[in-house]
Amino acid sequence: MTKLAVRNPRTGEADYYITPPSSEELSNSCRALRNAQDEWQQLGVNGRADVMQKWKTAIECRKEEIIAELVKDTGRHSETILEFNSIPAMIDRWCNLAPEILKAEDRITSSIPFLQIEGEYKPYSLVGVISPWNFPLLLSLIDAIPALLAGSAVIIKPSEFTPRFIEPLLETIADVPVLQGVLNVVTGAGETGRDIVNEVDLVAFTGSVKTGRLVGEACSKRFIPVSLELGGKDAAIVLKSADLDRATSAILWGSVANSGQSCLSIERTYVEDEVFDDFVELLVQKAKKLQLAHPNVEDGHIGPIITKMQANTIQQQLMDAADKGAIIHCGGEIEEHSGGLWCLPTVLTDVDHEMKIMVEETFGPVLPIMRVKDERQAVEFANNTNFGLGGAVFAGTEEKAIEVASQLEAGAISINDAALTAIMYEGEKNSFKFSGLGGSRMGSASIKRFIRKKAFLINTGVKDPWWYDV
Ligand code: NAD
């Protein structure tokens, strides 16, 4: 297999190389994982939780190395600390939840009194996790951890743009030999992703709608389930009764954290006419205070745009908006510093749905704000999209905000806050429209994506009245 060069987002230099496995090597690796899975399943959920706790310790022991590589992968520091810290917490959460969710169900009597039912869970043998570059560690493990606890073996392929953290992560897996049998992380790009889809029994994919569609089609041809977590264009709605100080702070964070490179970023905001000017003034004031994390990675607030391709998309959308009459209040373009590509928080007004920036995923620290005459119009515009991941509503009361939120065609709506799915994984939700397919990744039910349920239908001894009387 040929070597792939990896670009450093802070310098623009190719300073790391990966050699993805050949199809045959990948196939051998999948076979080994599959062979080890039965023993893993036989450990029982409590046994698996003990192993996962050992892995958590191994991850914590290599905290500095993992963080250092993730910082090189992404060019940002503060979000990396949050990203790393979410992992031990996630392992603990699933170790606590899984035994209760997966415990054997009591035998029940059916509607035919002499027939009883006992249930059993059977995990999918091998789960393939394919993940994007915006939160490389978190999005590689968010599905892998519950899948492992469910009893599956797992193969993970992180994005080819952010593969440096794989080396120290593999070392943590090697520290726990039982886990090493059932968990592998491989490097590679789309070709390796395609090979994984051809090998596994279930795919948990996070990425763009474009690739998600290809993965979904390939899975349907193989008749295997797929969980698709795709792109978004989350809208925030600000009603005239909202606390504007709160709304501007939350929307700013929800739009520019991780330089806007989050599926759940607020990508457009609709504000009621009466408070529009005050909202924009306050937002611009706050946005102008944020600085690039440059030259020192620990400085400022806004890291580089991780991929060159994404920087091009942002630049093109900004140019398209400006050409069509948008007013740019701050930021406004991709800047090059020391070879990296950066974008300061960019607030735009005089925008409409003819502009790409209001309808296509931007994945940058960009806040287009549109004036609406009332909440009905706000809801109409917010729903005028192919995406349906999440959103946010700000109003004077929670009741009012929830009333508006219930009209939005999206899965996770933050109430008087923004982008809360970034930090809270307990709220069960589905993606609407092109933002995804499959069971909820959030909430305790998410682990059930990795198991099939069997039913033992037990005749307790009575001769069935419907048998032939012969
Ligand atoms: P992408 O779709 O380009 O790539 C995602 C992964 O798929 C990568 O690992 C890539 O190598 C792999 N891949 C590419 N072609 C493939 C193929 N034919 N078969 C199998 N795998 C293949 O996405 P990206 O640019 O890495 O990530 C950004 C996108 O991810 C954005 O749209 C963002 O909104 C989305 N995202 C969604 C969520 C969510 O939870 N809904 C979270 C984070 C990111």
Side-chain angles (χ1 to χ4, degrees):
M1 195 84 172
T2 33
K3 251 183 10 181
L4 298 179
V6 184
R7 175 182 171 274
N8 182 319
R10 293 188 74 84
T11 63
E13 303 281 326
D15 62 0
Y16 190 81
Y17 295 87
I18 53 175
T19 308
S22 66
S23 300
E24 195 188 343
E25 284 165 339
L26 188 89
S27 194
N28 291 340
S29 169
C30 288
R31 193 172 314 115
L33 291 167
R34 218 181 260 289
N35 288 341
Q37 185 266 334
D38 191 45
E39 212 171 309
W40 177 244
Q41 192 185 326
Q42 298 311 324
L43 267 184
V45 63
N46 290 314
R48 294 194 291 273
D50 289 345
V51 175
M52 295 299 277
Q53 285 297 316
K54 291 194 180 104
W55 189 34
K56 182 184 97 169
T57 306
I59 290 174
E60 285 171 333
C61 285
R62 293 184 197 268
K63 178 175 179 167
E64 299 312 321
E65 294 139 81
I66 295 173
I67 287 179
E69 295 310 306
L70 280 174
V71 168
K72 284 186 215 151
D73 275 329
T74 59
R76 39 79 167 160
H77 187 262
S78 58
E79 288 94 341
T80 300
I81 307 291
L82 290 176
E83 182 179 8
F84 178 88
N85 288 341
S86 70
I87 301 304
M90 193 179 288
I91 293 177
D92 279 346
R93 180 171 155 260
W94 278 117
C95 286
N96 289 331
L97 286 172
E100 182 58 29
I101 301 170
L102 301 178
K103 83 168 188 256
E105 288 175 6
D106 292 339
R107 188 187 278 212
I108 55 164
T109 301
S110 76
S111 56
I112 302 165
F114 61 87
L115 296 183
Q116 297 186 342
I117 304 164
E118 238 180 65
E120 186 187 59
Y121 291 127
K122 209 74 181 159
Y124 286 93
S125 297
L126 182 58
V127 169
V129 172
I130 300 175
S131 56
W133 48 261
N134 59 323
F135 285 97
L137 177 71
L138 171 66
L139 294 171
S140 292
L141 300 188
I142 192 168
D143 290 322
I145 291 168
L148 285 163
L149 276 159
S152 303
V154 177
I155 183 155
I156 306 174
K157 191 203 79 64
S159 168
E160 63 275 27
F161 295 106
T162 50
R164 297 168 179 83
F165 77 100
I166 296 174
E167 278 187 60
L169 188 67
L170 281 172
E171 285 166 18
T172 67
I173 298 169
D175 288 343
V176 187
V178 184
L179 186 67
Q180 198 177 18
V182 287
L183 176 62
N184 195 7
V185 189
V186 295
T187 60
E191 206 176 316
T192 312
R194 276 192 295 274
D195 285 346
I196 287 180
V197 173
N198 281 328
E199 290 283 347
V200 300
D201 306 306
L202 181 152
V203 176
F205 174 84
T206 309
S208 63
V209 174
K210 189 174 163 213
T211 314
R213 193 188 289 276
L214 293 174
V215 170
E217 284 168 1
C219 289
S220 76
K221 281 195 187 119
R222 290 199 57 227
F223 246 65
I224 60 168
V226 61
S227 168
L228 298 175
E229 297 283 345
L230 310 178
K233 187 76 189 167
D234 286 7
I237 291 179
V238 181
L239 300 186
K240 55 180 180 263
S241 57
D243 174 341
L244 293 190
D245 187 37
R246 183 183 183 84
T248 46
S249 291
I251 289 172
L252 182 60
W253 179 80
S255 301
V256 312
N258 203 35
S259 305
Q261 301 165 118
S262 307
C263 55
L264 46 76
S265 281
I266 297 296
E267 293 229 342
R268 56 204 168 106
T269 300
Y270 303 96
V271 184
E272 268 192 300
D273 185 34
E274 288 91 328
V275 295
F276 183 86
D277 294 333
D278 291 345
F279 177 88
V280 172
E281 190 184 333
L282 198 52
L283 182 68
V284 171
Q285 251 177 45
K286 291 180 183 178
K288 281 182 172 168
K289 290 186 184 149
L290 299 187
Q291 290 171 357
L292 299 182
H294 184 269
N296 190 329
V297 72
E298 290 182 40
D299 289 344
H301 314 91
I302 311 291
I305 304 303
I306 296 173
T307 73
K308 205 171 174 177
M309 208 166 51
Q310 202 60 48
N312 286 340
T313 301
I314 297 168
Q315 183 67 27
Q316 279 170 18
Q317 289 192 13
L318 287 171
M319 281 160 48
D320 172 72
D323 285 349
K324 291 175 180 161
I327 295 174
I328 294 174
H329 296 262
C330 53
E333 60 181 356
I334 296 292
E335 305 171 10
E336 187 173 337
H337 299 289
S338 319
L341 300 168
W342 306 75
C343 184
L344 276 163
T346 296
V347 179
L348 300 103
T349 57
D350 291 45
V351 290
D352 60 39
H353 278 223
E354 295 301 310
M355 300 174 185
K356 291 180 184 171
I357 213 134
M358 292 301 281
V359 292
E360 294 178 10
E361 190 175 47
T362 307
F363 232 54
V366 178
L367 301 98
I369 321 291
M370 195 166 156
R371 189 190 294 269
V372 288
K373 64 174 190 286
D374 54 24
E375 69 185 60
R376 202 175 62 85
Q377 196 180 36
V379 169
E380 254 173 43
F381 277 122
N383 285 338
N384 184 9
T385 171
N386 287 328
F387 297 101
L389 199 59
V393 180
F394 295 82
T397 63
E398 280 172 24
E399 291 71 23
K400 183 72 207 171
I402 290 173
E403 183 193 317
V404 173
S406 75
Q407 300 168 60
L408 296 182
E409 294 157 2
I413 320 290
S414 302
I415 301 296
N416 286 329
D417 207 331
L420 284 177
T421 32
I423 51 161
M424 190 174 67
Y425 306 132
E426 284 105 322
E428 201 170 310
K429 57 114 192 169
N430 294 107
S431 298
F432 287 42
K433 300 179 181 170
F434 288 169
S435 284
L437 201 65
S440 174
R441 165 189 273 174
M442 301 294 179
S444 55
S446 133
I447 197 170
K448 291 198 171 168
R449 289 176 299 157
F450 306 110
I451 51 181
R452 288 154 296 181
K453 201 166 175 192
K454 289 177 70 166
F456 301 119
L457 311 172
I458 306 153
N459 185 328
T460 54
V462 177
K463 186 177 165 195
D464 292 355
W466 47 83
W467 288 350
Y468 295 116
D469 193 14
V470 288

